[in-house]
Amino acid sequence: MACQEDDSQHFKGTHEVQECLEGEAEADLHTHFADCTKNPGHAGFIPVNKFTVGHFPSGYHDNDLYELTKAVADITVSIAVKFTSPDRPEFVPGTQDPYPCYSSRGKKLLRTGTGRVFALTKYTEGMDRADGDYRTCPCPECVKSATPSKVWWEIFVQTARHVVFDESEARQSSCRLWFDDDQSPVVKMCGLGMDVSVTEGDMCDVYYATHDVQVGDRLQEMGKRYSQLGGKVIQKYRDGRDVDKLTIIVSHPHGCSKQVSVGHWVHREVLGDDGNYKFTKYRYTNSTCPGSSGALVYIVGCWSVHPHSGSKPDGINYSGVMLE
């Protein structure tokens, strides 16, 4: 789905959500993978379980960077959305170019993207959410139960807004954790709602719930490991950030199992600032496909949290807008 955007704020190209035809389910996504026209054979993608330190370019064969890539993979999730909001805009803001999935608004059609867990909170008996909405786990299983769990985790996932546009879509979304290969156990969470959303920057935060305490505990430890390793890698590669411009993306192309791609960024655009940080957007060479939208674009040497947004016809990709 082409989405031509004004170069002063966006990069022209095609958003990379994987849209499915009517009647297709997640079990059919392998067909889209096999029939891919953007990157037949999926050159540049390495299955996460086969990724090694040798896949980095010379000068980056570093175990800390390798472990950080695995940590990024641990918090990367596959997102499935089964409804398209009737409130999706017709055009990309500030342009006359079609907004993704506008023609599907109001329909129950599957699409997939990628996201990353970035925050989570554990609730125990007697604790309320800040807004007072829930005293017990609000997942679908607990809502139907006469004895809902009083201990549960609320988990926040960041993705691109064209993957999950608003509250109505968030509530009909799910995310799959640790989908590393076709033999991975199916661990899913159902969406509760949306916390933050920015159409112009193409990012949003969706929150999910689970009463599986082990899932929450495991994600919490993975998040800590990601933060710790990120600090070490920044210290190592800060000076080379604007020289080698290395970028790493872990995504779920076509809604299938997790893949790693390594590339470099070729353009950084500063769109403004808030007095302390700059609003930036990147272009980069990593392999991506439909279904990669929303994946974390990791810029080696800085705390970049830009979500992948789309790809240009020349094969160069572009991110959403974030503070840096």
Side-chain angles (χ1 to χ4, degrees):
M1 179 178 294
C3 186
Q4 303 303 315
E5 301 172 327
D6 176 48
D7 278 335
S8 66
Q9 300 210 14
H10 302 275
F11 297 116
K12 295 178 181 178
T14 303
H15 289 298
E16 293 201 307
V17 65
Q18 175 65 66
E19 296 182 70
C20 296
L21 299 175
E22 188 170 0
E24 286 186 321
E26 291 178 64
D28 301 308
L29 290 167
H30 280 286
T31 300
H32 292 279
F33 190 94
D35 296 340
C36 177
T37 57
K38 181 194 175 184
N39 184 5
H42 294 95
F45 283 117
I46 306 105
V48 67
N49 288 336
K50 296 182 179 180
F51 187 79
T52 70
V53 69
H55 286 107
F56 292 124
S58 177
Y60 286 88
H61 292 177
D62 173 64
N63 191 60
D64 284 335
L65 183 60
Y66 169 69
E67 291 297 329
L68 174 62
T69 302
K70 292 203 300 183
V72 170
D74 285 340
I75 60 173
T76 296
V77 303
S78 176
I79 298 174
V81 188
K82 298 182 178 180
F83 176 71
T84 304
S85 171
D87 294 325
R88 281 195 175 232
E90 184 175 1
F91 302 109
V92 175
T95 77
Q96 290 297 305
D97 305 309
Y99 192 79
C101 305
Y102 174 76
S103 62
S104 301
R105 63 197 187 283
K107 297 180 180 179
K108 291 183 175 292
L109 296 176
L110 175 68
R111 65 181 174 280
T112 68
T114 302
R116 63 159 187 121
V117 175
F118 76 94
L120 62 169
T121 302
K122 186 177 184 178
Y123 291 90
T124 57
E125 187 171 358
M127 289 179 62
D128 289 338
R129 289 178 80 243
D131 58 13
D133 278 357
Y134 308 113
R135 293 186 64 86
T136 58
C137 179
C139 78
E141 184 178 341
C142 283
V143 167
K144 296 176 183 177
S145 173
T147 57
S149 178
K150 296 177 181 179
V151 180
W152 58 285
W153 283 91
E154 182 176 51
I155 297 166
F156 289 82
V157 171
Q158 187 173 87
T159 186
R161 191 172 190 189
H162 72 269
V163 176
V164 187
F165 182 74
D166 62 11
E167 188 90 3
S168 68
E169 294 186 1
R171 289 180 176 273
Q172 297 198 52
S173 73
S174 63
C175 73
R176 181 175 177 180
L177 305 168
W178 310 311
F179 182 16
D180 294 348
D181 57 46
D182 290 343
Q183 283 70 52
S184 297
V186 177
V187 181
K188 284 188 176 183
M189 300 183 297
C190 294
L192 292 180
M194 182 168 286
D195 185 43
V196 175
S197 60
V198 182
T199 305
E200 294 81 357
D202 197 23
M203 63 76 62
C204 71
D205 299 338
V206 182
Y207 55 95
Y208 297 82
T210 179
H211 58 263
D212 188 330
V213 176
Q214 291 184 340
V215 167
D217 291 346
R218 184 180 176 191
L219 282 173
Q220 185 177 58
E221 291 305 310
M222 288 175 167
K224 289 178 181 178
R225 180 167 172 76
Y226 163 73
S227 296
Q228 292 165 354
L229 286 165
K232 291 178 68 175
V233 168
I234 284 174
Q235 291 299 320
K236 281 188 176 185
Y237 295 107
R238 179 177 288 155
D239 292 342
R241 173 192 181 281
D242 297 336
V243 179
D244 297 322
K245 304 179 179 180
L246 190 66
T247 51
I248 302 165
I249 296 177
V250 183
S251 71
H252 288 275
H254 309 287
C256 295
S257 59
K258 205 171 290 176
Q259 306 282 324
V260 182
S261 63
V262 178
H264 62 276
W265 59 271
V266 297
H267 182 74
R268 173 178 179 263
E269 184 170 351
V270 178
L271 303 173
D273 65 72
D274 71 346
N276 297 307
Y277 300 95
K278 292 179 171 59
F279 290 97
T280 62
K281 190 165 188 171
Y282 282 86
R283 292 183 62 197
Y284 38 90
T285 63
N286 303 61
S287 292
T288 60
C289 271
S292 295
S293 280
L296 168 64
V297 183
Y298 189 83
I299 311 294
V300 176
C302 76
W303 282 109
S304 172
V305 292
H306 294 69
H308 173 63
S309 186
S311 180
K312 287 172 59 67
D314 61 6
I316 305 298
N317 302 308
Y318 59 94
S319 73
V321 179
M322 294 291 286
L323 280 172
E324 180 183 333

